[in-house]
Amino acid sequence: MNESVECEIKLERSLIQDGPKFLSHKLIVTDRVAYLKPTISSMLFCFVYIVVGMFLISLASYVLLQSQKLDLAIFIGGFGIAIGTFGVSLIQPFLQRASFDKHSGVFNNKRDRDVKIKHIVSLQINNKVVIRKQALSYRCFELNMLTKNGRRINILNHNNAVQLELDARKLAKFLTVPLLDLRREIVL
């Protein structure tokens, strides 16, 4: 029995609920490859935590060697390990490079299954509001791709609308697919 079921897909619904409040990535396009590169500011944000964590671990070693206060050294060192680990966990997604490779004909983002470039039918821009319980809400934007098999995969997610639109237009031109701008006015 070969039945097809039609269902409505709400394309304006965001794929990811969260998103950074800063420009996290930029698109780099060459002749054969387009890839996302983390911005210097996003990398520095992560490095601050790593450096502070390493400093606190060093401080814990110094305290232990100079004053022999084991409990204080463990406290400072544990705090340093926690902050450093947080920084490493923040930086890992930035180091995984999502790319569109025309030579291999594949999109790879190290999270989802690879997608053949010929199966990409369009790109879309969505906007959303990231709601924080303990802080102010803010606008954020997504760049998603749609495949001929009905999949939507997030490519980029940050709050710089101008840069996201520029990157989306460059990528749509690189892939020779249409760009759907589904942004709508959202009141904060």
Side-chain angles (χ1 to χ4, degrees):
M1 188 179 277
N2 196 5
E3 293 181 30
S4 65
V5 177
E6 285 189 33
C7 60
E8 185 178 330
I9 299 172
K10 294 191 180 282
L11 294 178
E12 61 276 352
R13 185 182 62 82
S14 58
L15 290 177
I16 300 174
Q17 297 306 312
D18 209 353
K21 196 175 178 178
F22 54 88
L23 176 61
S24 61
H25 291 80
K26 281 187 168 183
L27 182 74
I28 307 298
V29 178
T30 65
D31 291 340
R32 308 285 296 167
V33 178
Y35 62 93
L36 297 173
K37 180 180 177 185
T39 61
I40 292 172
S41 60
S42 64
M43 295 298 284
L44 287 175
F45 177 76
C46 300
F47 278 127
V48 165
Y49 286 99
I50 295 169
V51 169
V52 168
M54 290 182 352
F55 170 75
L56 289 174
I57 292 169
S58 300
L59 180 63
S61 300
Y62 177 79
V63 166
L64 183 62
L65 292 174
Q66 293 299 317
S67 66
Q68 302 296 317
K69 294 183 180 180
L70 182 62
D71 55 345
L72 181 59
I74 289 173
F75 176 75
I76 294 171
F79 198 60
I81 289 170
I83 290 174
T85 302
F86 179 68
V88 169
S89 69
L90 277 178
I91 206 167
Q92 283 178 341
F94 291 111
L95 299 177
Q96 294 179 350
R97 189 164 106 172
S99 65
F100 297 83
D101 188 341
K102 284 187 176 179
H103 181 70
S104 65
V106 171
F107 163 75
N108 182 344
N109 67 355
K110 311 285 193 264
R111 289 185 314 250
D112 302 299
R113 289 189 329 253
D114 290 355
V115 175
K116 292 183 179 179
I117 291 177
K118 66 183 180 183
H119 292 170
I120 300 170
V121 295
S122 67
L123 299 176
Q124 69 171 155
I125 299 174
N126 287 1
N127 66 355
K128 60 187 173 189
V129 174
V130 176
I131 299 172
R132 300 281 189 216
K133 291 180 183 177
Q134 305 298 327
L136 294 175
S137 299
Y138 58 92
R139 291 178 77 164
C140 197
F141 305 93
E142 287 183 351
L143 175 60
N144 301 319
M145 80 177 167
L146 289 89
T147 69
K148 76 176 191 176
N149 299 325
R151 288 175 63 199
R152 271 197 322 154
I153 299 172
N154 181 261
I155 299 169
L156 194 53
N157 184 32
H158 59 68
N159 87 330
N160 188 318
V162 174
Q163 186 64 50
L164 190 113
E165 186 174 343
L166 287 170
D167 289 343
R169 289 185 189 285
K170 280 196 299 189
L171 186 57
K173 184 177 178 182
F174 176 80
L175 297 171
T176 61
V177 296
L179 174 62
L180 308 171
D181 192 345
L182 301 176
R183 291 179 285 181
R184 60 209 177 281
E185 222 25 66
I186 295 179
V187 179
L188 289 177

